[in-house]
Short mmCIF file of all heavy atoms in Angstrom, two decimals:
data_model
loop_
_atom_site.label_atom_id
_atom_site.label_comp_id
_atom_site.label_asym_id
_atom_site.label_seq_id
_atom_site.Cartn_x
_atom_site.Cartn_y
_atom_site.Cartn_z
N ALA U 26 -77.47 -39.12 47.09
CA ALA U 26 -77.80 -40.07 46.13
C ALA U 26 -76.69 -40.05 45.06
O ALA U 26 -76.17 -41.06 44.59
CB ALA U 26 -79.18 -39.74 45.34
N GLN U 27 -76.16 -38.84 44.74
CA GLN U 27 -75.12 -38.68 43.70
C GLN U 27 -73.89 -39.40 44.19
O GLN U 27 -73.28 -40.16 43.52
CB GLN U 27 -74.90 -37.22 43.47
CG GLN U 27 -74.01 -37.00 42.29
CD GLN U 27 -73.65 -35.54 42.13
OE1 GLN U 27 -73.83 -34.79 43.04
NE2 GLN U 27 -73.06 -35.18 40.96
N ALA U 28 -73.55 -39.08 45.49
CA ALA U 28 -72.28 -39.71 45.97
C ALA U 28 -72.40 -41.21 45.96
O ALA U 28 -71.42 -41.86 45.66
CB ALA U 28 -72.08 -39.16 47.45
N GLN U 29 -73.56 -41.76 46.21
CA GLN U 29 -73.72 -43.24 46.30
C GLN U 29 -73.49 -43.75 44.88
O GLN U 29 -72.85 -44.79 44.78
CB GLN U 29 -75.14 -43.51 46.78
CG GLN U 29 -75.32 -44.97 47.24
CD GLN U 29 -74.41 -45.26 48.39
OE1 GLN U 29 -74.28 -44.52 49.34
NE2 GLN U 29 -73.68 -46.36 48.30
N ASP U 30 -74.00 -43.10 43.88
CA ASP U 30 -73.90 -43.60 42.56
C ASP U 30 -72.33 -43.66 42.19
O ASP U 30 -71.92 -44.66 41.57
CB ASP U 30 -74.49 -42.61 41.51
CG ASP U 30 -75.98 -42.70 41.55
OD1 ASP U 30 -76.47 -43.67 42.28
OD2 ASP U 30 -76.68 -41.71 41.09
N ILE U 31 -71.61 -42.62 42.59
CA ILE U 31 -70.21 -42.57 42.19
C ILE U 31 -69.49 -43.75 42.88
O ILE U 31 -68.73 -44.41 42.26
CB ILE U 31 -69.64 -41.21 42.65
CG1 ILE U 31 -70.29 -40.15 41.79
CG2 ILE U 31 -68.12 -41.28 42.43
CD1 ILE U 31 -69.94 -38.75 42.22
N ILE U 32 -69.79 -43.99 44.14
CA ILE U 32 -69.09 -45.07 44.82
C ILE U 32 -69.28 -46.43 44.15
O ILE U 32 -68.45 -47.26 44.14
CB ILE U 32 -69.55 -45.17 46.37
CG1 ILE U 32 -69.17 -43.81 47.05
CG2 ILE U 32 -68.83 -46.32 47.04
CD1 ILE U 32 -69.83 -43.67 48.38
N ASN U 33 -70.51 -46.60 43.63
CA ASN U 33 -70.85 -47.91 43.06
C ASN U 33 -70.19 -48.11 41.68
O ASN U 33 -70.22 -49.16 41.19
CB ASN U 33 -72.38 -48.05 42.94
CG ASN U 33 -72.99 -48.28 44.32
OD1 ASN U 33 -72.31 -48.69 45.23
ND2 ASN U 33 -74.29 -48.01 44.41
N ASP U 34 -69.67 -47.05 41.15
CA ASP U 34 -68.98 -47.12 39.88
C ASP U 34 -67.69 -47.92 40.10
O ASP U 34 -67.03 -47.80 41.10
CB ASP U 34 -68.64 -45.77 39.25
CG ASP U 34 -69.88 -45.16 38.66
OD1 ASP U 34 -70.86 -45.86 38.48
OD2 ASP U 34 -69.87 -43.92 38.36
N GLU U 35 -67.32 -48.75 39.07
CA GLU U 35 -66.08 -49.48 39.14
C GLU U 35 -65.13 -48.91 38.14
O GLU U 35 -65.46 -48.62 37.02
CB GLU U 35 -66.32 -50.93 38.86
CG GLU U 35 -66.86 -51.65 40.07
CD GLU U 35 -66.97 -53.17 39.85
OE1 GLU U 35 -66.25 -53.67 38.96
OE2 GLU U 35 -67.88 -53.79 40.45
N LEU U 36 -63.82 -48.83 38.63
CA LEU U 36 -62.80 -48.32 37.74
C LEU U 36 -62.18 -49.46 37.09
O LEU U 36 -61.44 -50.28 37.68
CB LEU U 36 -61.82 -47.48 38.54
CG LEU U 36 -60.59 -47.00 37.84
CD1 LEU U 36 -60.87 -46.28 36.49
CD2 LEU U 36 -59.72 -46.05 38.62
N VAL U 37 -62.35 -49.58 35.76
CA VAL U 37 -61.65 -50.58 34.93
C VAL U 37 -61.01 -49.86 33.80
O VAL U 37 -61.62 -49.11 32.99
CB VAL U 37 -62.69 -51.60 34.33
CG1 VAL U 37 -62.00 -52.68 33.58
CG2 VAL U 37 -63.59 -52.23 35.44
N ILE U 38 -59.66 -49.97 33.77
CA ILE U 38 -58.88 -49.18 32.79
C ILE U 38 -58.69 -50.01 31.60
O ILE U 38 -58.31 -51.20 31.68
CB ILE U 38 -57.59 -48.69 33.43
CG1 ILE U 38 -57.83 -47.78 34.58
CG2 ILE U 38 -56.74 -48.03 32.33
CD1 ILE U 38 -56.58 -47.31 35.31
N ASN U 39 -58.97 -49.46 30.42
CA ASN U 39 -58.83 -50.16 29.07
C ASN U 39 -59.56 -51.41 29.05
O ASN U 39 -59.31 -52.29 28.30
CB ASN U 39 -57.37 -50.46 28.83
CG ASN U 39 -56.49 -49.17 28.75
OD1 ASN U 39 -56.94 -48.12 28.38
ND2 ASN U 39 -55.23 -49.34 29.11
N GLY U 40 -60.66 -51.47 29.83
CA GLY U 40 -61.57 -52.65 29.73
C GLY U 40 -61.07 -53.82 30.35
O GLY U 40 -61.74 -54.87 30.44
N ASP U 41 -59.83 -53.89 30.90
CA ASP U 41 -59.33 -55.14 31.49
C ASP U 41 -58.57 -55.04 32.80
O ASP U 41 -58.16 -56.04 33.32
CB ASP U 41 -58.58 -55.99 30.39
CG ASP U 41 -57.31 -55.18 29.92
OD1 ASP U 41 -57.14 -54.09 30.46
OD2 ASP U 41 -56.71 -55.66 29.09
N LEU U 42 -58.31 -53.84 33.18
CA LEU U 42 -57.42 -53.68 34.41
C LEU U 42 -58.31 -53.18 35.50
O LEU U 42 -58.80 -51.97 35.51
CB LEU U 42 -56.31 -52.69 34.13
CG LEU U 42 -55.39 -52.45 35.36
CD1 LEU U 42 -54.70 -53.67 35.84
CD2 LEU U 42 -54.31 -51.39 34.89
N ASN U 43 -58.67 -54.01 36.49
CA ASN U 43 -59.54 -53.64 37.58
C ASN U 43 -58.77 -52.97 38.67
O ASN U 43 -57.68 -53.36 39.07
CB ASN U 43 -60.18 -54.88 38.20
CG ASN U 43 -61.25 -55.42 37.28
OD1 ASN U 43 -62.29 -54.79 37.12
ND2 ASN U 43 -61.00 -56.56 36.70
N ILE U 44 -59.26 -51.79 39.16
CA ILE U 44 -58.59 -50.98 40.11
C ILE U 44 -59.50 -50.99 41.38
O ILE U 44 -60.68 -50.80 41.33
CB ILE U 44 -58.49 -49.46 39.61
CG1 ILE U 44 -57.62 -49.45 38.33
CG2 ILE U 44 -57.94 -48.63 40.71
CD1 ILE U 44 -56.18 -49.73 38.57
N VAL U 45 -58.86 -51.26 42.53
CA VAL U 45 -59.57 -51.23 43.80
C VAL U 45 -59.66 -49.77 44.22
O VAL U 45 -58.65 -49.12 44.55
CB VAL U 45 -58.81 -52.01 44.92
CG1 VAL U 45 -59.45 -51.89 46.28
CG2 VAL U 45 -58.64 -53.48 44.47
N THR U 46 -60.91 -49.24 44.26
CA THR U 46 -61.14 -47.81 44.61
C THR U 46 -61.72 -47.59 45.96
O THR U 46 -62.01 -46.54 46.36
CB THR U 46 -62.04 -47.10 43.47
OG1 THR U 46 -63.25 -47.88 43.44
CG2 THR U 46 -61.27 -47.02 42.15
N GLN U 47 -61.97 -48.74 46.62
CA GLN U 47 -62.65 -48.67 47.97
C GLN U 47 -62.10 -49.88 48.78
O GLN U 47 -62.15 -51.01 48.25
CB GLN U 47 -64.16 -48.73 47.82
CG GLN U 47 -64.85 -48.39 49.11
CD GLN U 47 -66.32 -48.13 48.89
OE1 GLN U 47 -66.99 -47.57 49.64
NE2 GLN U 47 -66.87 -48.63 47.78
N ALA U 48 -61.68 -49.65 50.01
CA ALA U 48 -61.07 -50.68 50.70
C ALA U 48 -61.27 -50.42 52.24
O ALA U 48 -61.42 -49.29 52.63
CB ALA U 48 -59.57 -50.87 50.49
N PRO U 49 -61.26 -51.44 53.07
CA PRO U 49 -61.30 -51.20 54.56
C PRO U 49 -60.11 -50.45 54.94
O PRO U 49 -58.97 -50.68 54.36
CB PRO U 49 -61.29 -52.64 55.09
CG PRO U 49 -61.56 -53.53 53.96
CD PRO U 49 -61.14 -52.89 52.69
N ALA U 50 -60.28 -49.49 55.83
CA ALA U 50 -59.18 -48.63 56.26
C ALA U 50 -58.06 -49.45 56.98
O ALA U 50 -58.37 -50.45 57.68
CB ALA U 50 -59.67 -47.51 57.14
N ALA U 51 -56.87 -49.07 56.85
CA ALA U 51 -55.68 -49.71 57.54
C ALA U 51 -55.95 -49.56 59.03
O ALA U 51 -56.59 -48.57 59.49
CB ALA U 51 -54.40 -49.08 57.15
N ASP U 52 -55.35 -50.47 59.77
CA ASP U 52 -55.54 -50.43 61.27
C ASP U 52 -55.03 -49.23 61.98
O ASP U 52 -55.61 -48.80 62.97
CB ASP U 52 -54.72 -51.66 61.91
CG ASP U 52 -55.37 -52.97 61.54
OD1 ASP U 52 -56.53 -52.99 61.16
OD2 ASP U 52 -54.63 -53.99 61.54
N HIS U 53 -54.10 -48.55 61.43
CA HIS U 53 -53.49 -47.36 62.01
C HIS U 53 -54.39 -46.08 61.77
O HIS U 53 -54.16 -45.10 62.43
CB HIS U 53 -52.08 -47.05 61.54
CG HIS U 53 -52.05 -46.64 60.05
ND1 HIS U 53 -52.26 -45.35 59.64
CD2 HIS U 53 -51.74 -47.24 58.93
CE1 HIS U 53 -52.13 -45.21 58.34
NE2 HIS U 53 -51.76 -46.43 57.85
N LEU U 54 -55.46 -46.22 61.04
CA LEU U 54 -56.36 -45.08 60.88
C LEU U 54 -57.43 -45.14 61.98
O LEU U 54 -58.32 -46.04 61.94
CB LEU U 54 -57.02 -45.14 59.47
CG LEU U 54 -56.10 -44.71 58.31
CD1 LEU U 54 -56.79 -44.97 57.02
CD2 LEU U 54 -55.70 -43.28 58.44
N ASP U 55 -57.35 -44.21 62.89
CA ASP U 55 -58.29 -44.26 64.05
C ASP U 55 -59.70 -43.84 63.74
O ASP U 55 -60.61 -44.25 64.41
CB ASP U 55 -57.73 -43.37 65.11
CG ASP U 55 -56.36 -43.79 65.55
OD1 ASP U 55 -56.11 -45.00 65.55
OD2 ASP U 55 -55.54 -42.92 65.92
N TYR U 56 -59.85 -42.88 62.73
CA TYR U 56 -61.16 -42.28 62.58
C TYR U 56 -61.91 -42.63 61.28
O TYR U 56 -62.88 -42.02 60.99
CB TYR U 56 -61.00 -40.74 62.65
CG TYR U 56 -60.20 -40.27 63.84
CD1 TYR U 56 -58.91 -39.81 63.78
CD2 TYR U 56 -60.76 -40.42 65.13
CE1 TYR U 56 -58.20 -39.34 64.87
CE2 TYR U 56 -60.07 -40.02 66.23
CZ TYR U 56 -58.73 -39.48 66.05
OH TYR U 56 -58.06 -39.13 67.17
N MET U 57 -61.37 -43.69 60.54
CA MET U 57 -62.06 -43.98 59.27
C MET U 57 -62.21 -45.45 59.21
O MET U 57 -61.34 -46.26 59.72
CB MET U 57 -61.25 -43.45 58.18
CG MET U 57 -61.14 -42.00 58.00
SD MET U 57 -59.87 -41.45 56.98
CE MET U 57 -60.69 -41.30 55.39
N SER U 58 -63.30 -45.90 58.62
CA SER U 58 -63.51 -47.39 58.50
C SER U 58 -63.27 -47.75 57.01
O SER U 58 -62.92 -48.96 56.77
CB SER U 58 -64.93 -47.73 58.88
OG SER U 58 -65.80 -46.93 58.19
N VAL U 59 -63.45 -46.86 56.09
CA VAL U 59 -63.28 -47.21 54.69
C VAL U 59 -62.38 -46.08 54.06
O VAL U 59 -62.49 -44.93 54.40
CB VAL U 59 -64.64 -47.19 54.01
CG1 VAL U 59 -64.49 -47.25 52.49
CG2 VAL U 59 -65.46 -48.38 54.52
N VAL U 60 -61.54 -46.57 53.10
CA VAL U 60 -60.81 -45.51 52.36
C VAL U 60 -61.19 -45.62 50.85
O VAL U 60 -61.47 -46.63 50.38
CB VAL U 60 -59.23 -45.65 52.48
CG1 VAL U 60 -58.73 -45.23 53.81
CG2 VAL U 60 -58.76 -47.10 52.19
N ARG U 61 -61.27 -44.40 50.21
CA ARG U 61 -61.63 -44.38 48.85
C ARG U 61 -60.71 -43.57 48.01
O ARG U 61 -60.17 -42.58 48.44
CB ARG U 61 -63.06 -43.65 48.75
CG ARG U 61 -64.26 -44.54 49.12
CD ARG U 61 -65.45 -43.79 49.47
NE ARG U 61 -65.76 -42.77 48.36
CZ ARG U 61 -66.57 -41.78 48.50
NH1 ARG U 61 -67.14 -41.53 49.58
NH2 ARG U 61 -66.82 -41.01 47.43
N SER U 62 -60.48 -44.10 46.80
CA SER U 62 -59.68 -43.41 45.84
C SER U 62 -60.31 -42.04 45.48
O SER U 62 -61.50 -41.94 45.49
CB SER U 62 -59.54 -44.27 44.68
OG SER U 62 -59.35 -43.50 43.48
N GLY U 63 -59.37 -41.10 45.14
CA GLY U 63 -59.89 -39.82 44.66
C GLY U 63 -60.74 -39.88 43.47
O GLY U 63 -61.59 -39.01 43.13
N TRP U 64 -60.62 -40.94 42.64
CA TRP U 64 -61.34 -41.23 41.44
C TRP U 64 -62.89 -41.26 41.77
O TRP U 64 -63.72 -40.78 41.01
CB TRP U 64 -60.95 -42.54 40.80
CG TRP U 64 -61.60 -42.88 39.47
CD1 TRP U 64 -61.24 -42.38 38.29
CD2 TRP U 64 -62.76 -43.72 39.31
NE1 TRP U 64 -62.16 -42.96 37.35
CE2 TRP U 64 -63.03 -43.69 37.94
CE3 TRP U 64 -63.57 -44.45 40.19
CZ2 TRP U 64 -64.09 -44.54 37.43
CZ3 TRP U 64 -64.58 -45.15 39.74
CH2 TRP U 64 -64.91 -45.22 38.34
N THR U 65 -63.25 -41.83 42.95
CA THR U 65 -64.67 -41.97 43.29
C THR U 65 -65.34 -40.64 43.64
O THR U 65 -66.52 -40.53 43.68
CB THR U 65 -64.84 -42.85 44.50
OG1 THR U 65 -64.24 -42.27 45.73
CG2 THR U 65 -64.21 -44.21 44.28
N PHE U 66 -64.55 -39.59 43.78
CA PHE U 66 -65.06 -38.26 44.15
C PHE U 66 -65.24 -37.34 42.87
O PHE U 66 -65.75 -36.24 42.97
CB PHE U 66 -64.17 -37.56 45.10
CG PHE U 66 -64.09 -38.18 46.45
CD1 PHE U 66 -63.16 -39.19 46.75
CD2 PHE U 66 -65.00 -37.82 47.41
CE1 PHE U 66 -63.10 -39.73 47.97
CE2 PHE U 66 -64.94 -38.44 48.67
CZ PHE U 66 -63.99 -39.37 48.88
N ARG U 67 -64.81 -37.80 41.69
CA ARG U 67 -64.85 -36.97 40.55
C ARG U 67 -66.12 -37.14 39.69
O ARG U 67 -66.80 -38.14 39.85
CB ARG U 67 -63.51 -37.23 39.74
CG ARG U 67 -62.25 -36.95 40.46
CD ARG U 67 -61.90 -35.44 40.64
NE ARG U 67 -62.83 -34.63 41.39
CZ ARG U 67 -62.62 -34.35 42.69
NH1 ARG U 67 -61.63 -34.78 43.33
NH2 ARG U 67 -63.48 -33.52 43.30
N SER U 68 -66.24 -36.22 38.76
CA SER U 68 -67.42 -36.25 37.91
C SER U 68 -67.29 -37.38 36.93
O SER U 68 -66.20 -37.87 36.66
CB SER U 68 -67.53 -34.88 37.18
OG SER U 68 -66.57 -34.82 36.28
N THR U 69 -68.45 -37.76 36.37
CA THR U 69 -68.44 -38.89 35.42
C THR U 69 -67.46 -38.62 34.22
O THR U 69 -66.79 -39.57 33.79
CB THR U 69 -69.95 -38.96 34.84
OG1 THR U 69 -70.84 -38.88 35.99
CG2 THR U 69 -70.03 -40.41 34.19
N GLU U 70 -67.44 -37.37 33.74
CA GLU U 70 -66.58 -37.09 32.64
C GLU U 70 -65.13 -37.28 32.96
O GLU U 70 -64.35 -37.78 32.15
CB GLU U 70 -66.83 -35.66 32.13
CG GLU U 70 -68.22 -35.34 31.55
CD GLU U 70 -69.24 -35.07 32.72
OE1 GLU U 70 -68.88 -35.13 33.91
OE2 GLU U 70 -70.34 -34.77 32.36
N THR U 71 -64.74 -36.79 34.12
CA THR U 71 -63.35 -36.96 34.57
C THR U 71 -63.05 -38.36 34.75
O THR U 71 -61.94 -38.83 34.49
CB THR U 71 -63.06 -36.09 35.81
OG1 THR U 71 -63.64 -34.81 35.59
CG2 THR U 71 -61.60 -36.00 36.14
N GLN U 72 -63.97 -39.06 35.36
CA GLN U 72 -63.69 -40.55 35.59
C GLN U 72 -63.42 -41.26 34.31
O GLN U 72 -62.59 -42.11 34.21
CB GLN U 72 -64.94 -41.15 36.30
CG GLN U 72 -65.06 -40.71 37.79
CD GLN U 72 -66.21 -41.46 38.53
OE1 GLN U 72 -67.21 -41.78 37.82
NE2 GLN U 72 -66.14 -41.61 39.76
#
Side-chain angles (χ1 to χ4, degrees):
Chain U
Q27 190 189 12
Q29 198 60 46
D30 289 346
I31 294 169
I32 298 168
N33 287 338
D34 285 347
E35 279 184 28
L36 174 52
V37 182
I38 297 176
N39 298 331
D41 60 4
L42 177 61
N43 286 292
I44 299 289
V45 178
T46 54
Q47 190 170 199
D52 291 339
H53 67 81
L54 285 175
D55 299 327
Y56 309 110
M57 292 163 92
S58 52
V59 170
V60 288
R61 279 162 55 194
S62 151
W64 182 84
T65 64
F66 294 90
R67 300 282 66 95
S68 68
T69 317
E70 295 82 357
T71 310
Q72 288 184 332

